[in-house]
PDB file of all heavy atoms in Angstrom:
ATOM      1  N   HIS D 123      70.904  44.948  84.276  1.00  0.00           N
ATOM      2  CA  HIS D 123      71.227  43.541  84.577  1.00  0.00           C
ATOM      3  C   HIS D 123      72.736  43.375  84.706  1.00  0.00           C
ATOM      4  O   HIS D 123      73.221  42.685  85.605  1.00  0.00           O
ATOM      5  CB  HIS D 123      70.653  42.667  83.456  1.00  0.00           C
ATOM      6  CG  HIS D 123      71.073  41.238  83.506  1.00  0.00           C
ATOM      7  ND1 HIS D 123      70.642  40.382  84.487  1.00  0.00           N
ATOM      8  CD2 HIS D 123      71.888  40.517  82.697  1.00  0.00           C
ATOM      9  CE1 HIS D 123      71.181  39.184  84.279  1.00  0.00           C
ATOM     10  NE2 HIS D 123      71.953  39.249  83.214  1.00  0.00           N
ATOM     11  N   ILE D 124      73.496  43.980  83.783  1.00  0.00           N
ATOM     12  CA  ILE D 124      74.954  43.887  83.844  1.00  0.00           C
ATOM     13  C   ILE D 124      75.443  44.433  85.180  1.00  0.00           C
ATOM     14  O   ILE D 124      76.253  43.812  85.883  1.00  0.00           O
ATOM     15  CB  ILE D 124      75.595  44.676  82.685  1.00  0.00           C
ATOM     16  CG1 ILE D 124      75.340  43.953  81.356  1.00  0.00           C
ATOM     17  CG2 ILE D 124      77.097  44.837  82.906  1.00  0.00           C
ATOM     18  CD1 ILE D 124      75.770  44.744  80.156  1.00  0.00           C
ATOM     19  N   THR D 125      74.938  45.600  85.564  1.00  0.00           N
ATOM     20  CA  THR D 125      75.439  46.239  86.783  1.00  0.00           C
ATOM     21  C   THR D 125      75.040  45.467  88.024  1.00  0.00           C
ATOM     22  O   THR D 125      75.842  45.288  88.933  1.00  0.00           O
ATOM     23  CB  THR D 125      74.871  47.670  86.879  1.00  0.00           C
ATOM     24  OG1 THR D 125      75.238  48.350  85.687  1.00  0.00           O
ATOM     25  CG2 THR D 125      75.447  48.395  88.076  1.00  0.00           C
ATOM     26  N   ASN D 126      73.796  45.001  88.077  1.00  0.00           N
ATOM     27  CA  ASN D 126      73.278  44.496  89.342  1.00  0.00           C
ATOM     28  C   ASN D 126      73.396  42.998  89.503  1.00  0.00           C
ATOM     29  O   ASN D 126      73.434  42.510  90.644  1.00  0.00           O
ATOM     30  CB  ASN D 126      71.808  44.894  89.472  1.00  0.00           C
ATOM     31  CG  ASN D 126      71.629  46.390  89.490  1.00  0.00           C
ATOM     32  OD1 ASN D 126      72.500  47.109  89.950  1.00  0.00           O
ATOM     33  ND2 ASN D 126      70.524  46.867  88.943  1.00  0.00           N
ATOM     34  N   GLU D 127      73.431  42.239  88.422  1.00  0.00           N
ATOM     35  CA  GLU D 127      73.319  40.789  88.573  1.00  0.00           C
ATOM     36  C   GLU D 127      74.525  40.028  88.039  1.00  0.00           C
ATOM     37  O   GLU D 127      74.917  39.034  88.639  1.00  0.00           O
ATOM     38  CB  GLU D 127      72.032  40.294  87.898  1.00  0.00           C
ATOM     39  CG  GLU D 127      70.806  40.615  88.722  1.00  0.00           C
ATOM     40  CD  GLU D 127      69.556  40.739  87.874  1.00  0.00           C
ATOM     41  OE1 GLU D 127      69.384  39.946  86.949  1.00  0.00           O
ATOM     42  OE2 GLU D 127      68.757  41.666  88.136  1.00  0.00           O
ATOM     43  N   VAL D 128      75.077  40.468  86.920  1.00  0.00           N
ATOM     44  CA  VAL D 128      76.180  39.697  86.335  1.00  0.00           C
ATOM     45  C   VAL D 128      77.393  39.760  87.259  1.00  0.00           C
ATOM     46  O   VAL D 128      77.698  40.812  87.831  1.00  0.00           O
ATOM     47  CB  VAL D 128      76.529  40.259  84.948  1.00  0.00           C
ATOM     48  CG1 VAL D 128      77.695  39.473  84.370  1.00  0.00           C
ATOM     49  CG2 VAL D 128      75.336  40.188  84.036  1.00  0.00           C
ATOM     50  N   PHE D 129      78.082  38.610  87.412  1.00  0.00           N
ATOM     51  CA  PHE D 129      79.276  38.553  88.262  1.00  0.00           C
ATOM     52  C   PHE D 129      80.327  39.542  87.712  1.00  0.00           C
ATOM     53  O   PHE D 129      80.644  39.524  86.535  1.00  0.00           O
ATOM     54  CB  PHE D 129      79.829  37.126  88.244  1.00  0.00           C
ATOM     55  CG  PHE D 129      81.080  36.962  89.060  1.00  0.00           C
ATOM     56  CD1 PHE D 129      81.070  37.183  90.432  1.00  0.00           C
ATOM     57  CD2 PHE D 129      82.272  36.623  88.450  1.00  0.00           C
ATOM     58  CE1 PHE D 129      82.220  37.044  91.165  1.00  0.00           C
ATOM     59  CE2 PHE D 129      83.434  36.486  89.195  1.00  0.00           C
ATOM     60  CZ  PHE D 129      83.399  36.711  90.555  1.00  0.00           C
ATOM     61  N   LEU D 130      80.820  40.415  88.569  1.00  0.00           N
ATOM     62  CA  LEU D 130      81.795  41.450  88.219  1.00  0.00           C
ATOM     63  C   LEU D 130      81.267  42.450  87.190  1.00  0.00           C
ATOM     64  O   LEU D 130      82.023  43.201  86.601  1.00  0.00           O
ATOM     65  CB  LEU D 130      83.093  40.830  87.710  1.00  0.00           C
ATOM     66  CG  LEU D 130      83.953  40.086  88.721  1.00  0.00           C
ATOM     67  CD1 LEU D 130      85.265  39.642  88.078  1.00  0.00           C
ATOM     68  CD2 LEU D 130      84.240  40.943  89.938  1.00  0.00           C
ATOM     69  N   GLY D 131      79.932  42.415  86.970  1.00  0.00           N
ATOM     70  CA  GLY D 131      79.370  43.293  85.938  1.00  0.00           C
ATOM     71  C   GLY D 131      79.577  44.749  86.231  1.00  0.00           C
ATOM     72  O   GLY D 131      79.923  45.558  85.370  1.00  0.00           O
ATOM     73  N   GLU D 132      79.416  45.087  87.535  1.00  0.00           N
ATOM     74  CA  GLU D 132      79.579  46.480  87.926  1.00  0.00           C
ATOM     75  C   GLU D 132      81.014  46.946  87.649  1.00  0.00           C
ATOM     76  O   GLU D 132      81.237  48.059  87.196  1.00  0.00           O
ATOM     77  CB  GLU D 132      79.248  46.627  89.413  1.00  0.00           C
ATOM     78  CG  GLU D 132      78.980  48.041  89.821  1.00  0.00           C
ATOM     79  CD  GLU D 132      78.521  48.119  91.259  1.00  0.00           C
ATOM     80  OE1 GLU D 132      78.501  47.083  91.938  1.00  0.00           O
ATOM     81  OE2 GLU D 132      78.220  49.243  91.710  1.00  0.00           O
ATOM     82  N   LEU D 133      81.952  46.020  87.912  1.00  0.00           N
ATOM     83  CA  LEU D 133      83.374  46.388  87.702  1.00  0.00           C
ATOM     84  C   LEU D 133      83.650  46.592  86.216  1.00  0.00           C
ATOM     85  O   LEU D 133      84.232  47.601  85.832  1.00  0.00           O
ATOM     86  CB  LEU D 133      84.262  45.262  88.252  1.00  0.00           C
ATOM     87  CG  LEU D 133      85.761  45.500  88.030  1.00  0.00           C
ATOM     88  CD1 LEU D 133      86.232  46.657  88.893  1.00  0.00           C
ATOM     89  CD2 LEU D 133      86.560  44.254  88.318  1.00  0.00           C
ATOM     90  N   VAL D 134      83.215  45.632  85.396  1.00  0.00           N
ATOM     91  CA  VAL D 134      83.538  45.724  83.965  1.00  0.00           C
ATOM     92  C   VAL D 134      82.838  46.925  83.342  1.00  0.00           C
ATOM     93  O   VAL D 134      83.428  47.685  82.561  1.00  0.00           O
ATOM     94  CB  VAL D 134      83.178  44.420  83.245  1.00  0.00           C
ATOM     95  CG1 VAL D 134      83.374  44.541  81.755  1.00  0.00           C
ATOM     96  CG2 VAL D 134      84.040  43.290  83.767  1.00  0.00           C
ATOM     97  N   ARG D 135      81.572  47.128  83.701  1.00  0.00           N
ATOM     98  CA  ARG D 135      80.861  48.290  83.154  1.00  0.00           C
ATOM     99  C   ARG D 135      81.513  49.577  83.670  1.00  0.00           C
ATOM    100  O   ARG D 135      81.657  50.538  82.917  1.00  0.00           O
ATOM    101  CB  ARG D 135      79.382  48.236  83.560  1.00  0.00           C
ATOM    102  CG  ARG D 135      78.599  49.305  82.857  1.00  0.00           C
ATOM    103  CD  ARG D 135      77.128  49.239  83.170  1.00  0.00           C
ATOM    104  NE  ARG D 135      76.480  50.491  82.808  1.00  0.00           N
ATOM    105  CZ  ARG D 135      75.259  50.823  83.148  1.00  0.00           C
ATOM    106  NH1 ARG D 135      74.521  49.977  83.844  1.00  0.00           N
ATOM    107  NH2 ARG D 135      74.739  51.977  82.797  1.00  0.00           N
ATOM    108  N   GLY D 136      81.919  49.564  84.948  1.00  0.00           N
ATOM    109  CA  GLY D 136      82.587  50.743  85.488  1.00  0.00           C
ATOM    110  C   GLY D 136      83.904  51.014  84.793  1.00  0.00           C
ATOM    111  O   GLY D 136      84.240  52.162  84.503  1.00  0.00           O
ATOM    112  N   MET D 137      84.662  49.945  84.508  1.00  0.00           N
ATOM    113  CA  MET D 137      85.926  50.128  83.770  1.00  0.00           C
ATOM    114  C   MET D 137      85.676  50.787  82.427  1.00  0.00           C
ATOM    115  O   MET D 137      86.419  51.655  81.988  1.00  0.00           O
ATOM    116  CB  MET D 137      86.618  48.791  83.580  1.00  0.00           C
ATOM    117  CG  MET D 137      87.315  48.257  84.809  1.00  0.00           C
ATOM    118  SD  MET D 137      87.745  46.529  84.622  1.00  0.00           S
ATOM    119  CE  MET D 137      89.072  46.641  83.431  1.00  0.00           C
ATOM    120  N   HIS D 138      84.613  50.291  81.733  1.00  0.00           N
ATOM    121  CA  HIS D 138      84.318  50.825  80.398  1.00  0.00           C
ATOM    122  C   HIS D 138      83.851  52.272  80.490  1.00  0.00           C
ATOM    123  O   HIS D 138      84.245  53.110  79.715  1.00  0.00           O
ATOM    124  CB  HIS D 138      83.254  49.962  79.737  1.00  0.00           C
ATOM    125  CG  HIS D 138      83.183  50.096  78.249  1.00  0.00           C
ATOM    126  ND1 HIS D 138      84.141  49.566  77.420  1.00  0.00           N
ATOM    127  CD2 HIS D 138      82.289  50.708  77.443  1.00  0.00           C
ATOM    128  CE1 HIS D 138      83.839  49.833  76.172  1.00  0.00           C
ATOM    129  NE2 HIS D 138      82.720  50.547  76.152  1.00  0.00           N
ATOM    130  N   ARG D 139      83.017  52.534  81.516  1.00  0.00           N
ATOM    131  CA  ARG D 139      82.435  53.861  81.667  1.00  0.00           C
ATOM    132  C   ARG D 139      83.494  54.875  82.059  1.00  0.00           C
ATOM    133  O   ARG D 139      83.574  55.962  81.481  1.00  0.00           O
ATOM    134  CB  ARG D 139      81.304  53.794  82.695  1.00  0.00           C
ATOM    135  CG  ARG D 139      80.519  55.063  82.851  1.00  0.00           C
ATOM    136  CD  ARG D 139      80.699  55.630  84.246  1.00  0.00           C
ATOM    137  NE  ARG D 139      79.949  56.845  84.438  1.00  0.00           N
ATOM    138  CZ  ARG D 139      80.339  58.022  83.998  1.00  0.00           C
ATOM    139  NH1 ARG D 139      81.430  58.138  83.282  1.00  0.00           N
ATOM    140  NH2 ARG D 139      79.627  59.107  84.225  1.00  0.00           N
ATOM    141  N   TRP D 140      84.322  54.536  83.075  1.00  0.00           N
ATOM    142  CA  TRP D 140      85.350  55.481  83.494  1.00  0.00           C
ATOM    143  C   TRP D 140      86.547  55.466  82.573  1.00  0.00           C
ATOM    144  O   TRP D 140      87.201  56.497  82.389  1.00  0.00           O
ATOM    145  CB  TRP D 140      85.779  55.186  84.932  1.00  0.00           C
ATOM    146  CG  TRP D 140      84.684  55.487  85.904  1.00  0.00           C
ATOM    147  CD1 TRP D 140      83.867  54.595  86.515  1.00  0.00           C
ATOM    148  CD2 TRP D 140      84.224  56.785  86.302  1.00  0.00           C
ATOM    149  NE1 TRP D 140      82.920  55.259  87.300  1.00  0.00           N
ATOM    150  CE2 TRP D 140      83.141  56.607  87.175  1.00  0.00           C
ATOM    151  CE3 TRP D 140      84.648  58.087  86.011  1.00  0.00           C
ATOM    152  CZ2 TRP D 140      82.448  57.658  87.763  1.00  0.00           C
ATOM    153  CZ3 TRP D 140      83.966  59.133  86.592  1.00  0.00           C
ATOM    154  CH2 TRP D 140      82.886  58.919  87.456  1.00  0.00           C
ATOM    155  N   GLY D 141      86.806  54.293  81.982  1.00  0.00           N
ATOM    156  CA  GLY D 141      87.924  54.196  81.019  1.00  0.00           C
ATOM    157  C   GLY D 141      87.743  55.126  79.845  1.00  0.00           C
ATOM    158  O   GLY D 141      88.706  55.669  79.313  1.00  0.00           O
ATOM    159  N   SER D 142      86.478  55.363  79.444  1.00  0.00           N
ATOM    160  CA  SER D 142      86.228  56.274  78.335  1.00  0.00           C
ATOM    161  C   SER D 142      86.708  57.675  78.712  1.00  0.00           C
ATOM    162  O   SER D 142      87.365  58.347  77.913  1.00  0.00           O
ATOM    163  CB  SER D 142      84.756  56.289  77.977  1.00  0.00           C
ATOM    164  OG  SER D 142      83.990  56.823  79.029  1.00  0.00           O
ATOM    165  N   THR D 143      86.409  58.082  79.947  1.00  0.00           N
ATOM    166  CA  THR D 143      86.875  59.401  80.379  1.00  0.00           C
ATOM    167  C   THR D 143      88.398  59.445  80.462  1.00  0.00           C
ATOM    168  O   THR D 143      89.023  60.415  80.019  1.00  0.00           O
ATOM    169  CB  THR D 143      86.250  59.718  81.751  1.00  0.00           C
ATOM    170  OG1 THR D 143      84.852  59.595  81.639  1.00  0.00           O
ATOM    171  CG2 THR D 143      86.587  61.123  82.195  1.00  0.00           C
ATOM    172  N   VAL D 144      88.967  58.359  80.988  1.00  0.00           N
ATOM    173  CA  VAL D 144      90.424  58.294  81.105  1.00  0.00           C
ATOM    174  C   VAL D 144      91.062  58.439  79.721  1.00  0.00           C
ATOM    175  O   VAL D 144      92.033  59.171  79.518  1.00  0.00           O
ATOM    176  CB  VAL D 144      90.861  56.971  81.769  1.00  0.00           C
ATOM    177  CG1 VAL D 144      92.352  56.774  81.646  1.00  0.00           C
ATOM    178  CG2 VAL D 144      90.431  56.955  83.214  1.00  0.00           C
ATOM    179  N   MET D 145      90.461  57.747  78.760  1.00  0.00           N
ATOM    180  CA  MET D 145      91.038  57.792  77.402  1.00  0.00           C
ATOM    181  C   MET D 145      90.994  59.192  76.832  1.00  0.00           C
ATOM    182  O   MET D 145      91.969  59.646  76.204  1.00  0.00           O
ATOM    183  CB  MET D 145      90.293  56.820  76.483  1.00  0.00           C
ATOM    184  CG  MET D 145      90.910  56.695  75.119  1.00  0.00           C
ATOM    185  SD  MET D 145      90.160  55.363  74.187  1.00  0.00           S
ATOM    186  CE  MET D 145      90.883  55.686  72.583  1.00  0.00           C
ATOM    187  N   ILE D 146      89.888  59.905  77.044  1.00  0.00           N
ATOM    188  CA  ILE D 146      89.775  61.271  76.516  1.00  0.00           C
ATOM    189  C   ILE D 146      90.790  62.178  77.217  1.00  0.00           C
ATOM    190  O   ILE D 146      91.469  62.981  76.551  1.00  0.00           O
ATOM    191  CB  ILE D 146      88.341  61.802  76.751  1.00  0.00           C
ATOM    192  CG1 ILE D 146      87.335  60.864  76.095  1.00  0.00           C
ATOM    193  CG2 ILE D 146      88.209  63.243  76.277  1.00  0.00           C
ATOM    194  CD1 ILE D 146      86.632  61.349  74.908  1.00  0.00           C
TER     195      ILE D 146
END
Side-chain angles (χ1 to χ4, degrees):
Chain D
H123 171 69
I124 290 172
T125 304
N126 298 329
E127 285 153 41
V128 178
F129 178 64
L130 290 186
E132 197 175 4
L133 177 70
V134 174
R135 188 177 163 191
M137 283 166 72
H138 199 73
R139 185 244 180 282
W140 291 103
S142 65
T143 305
V144 169
M145 186 171 170
I146 303 250

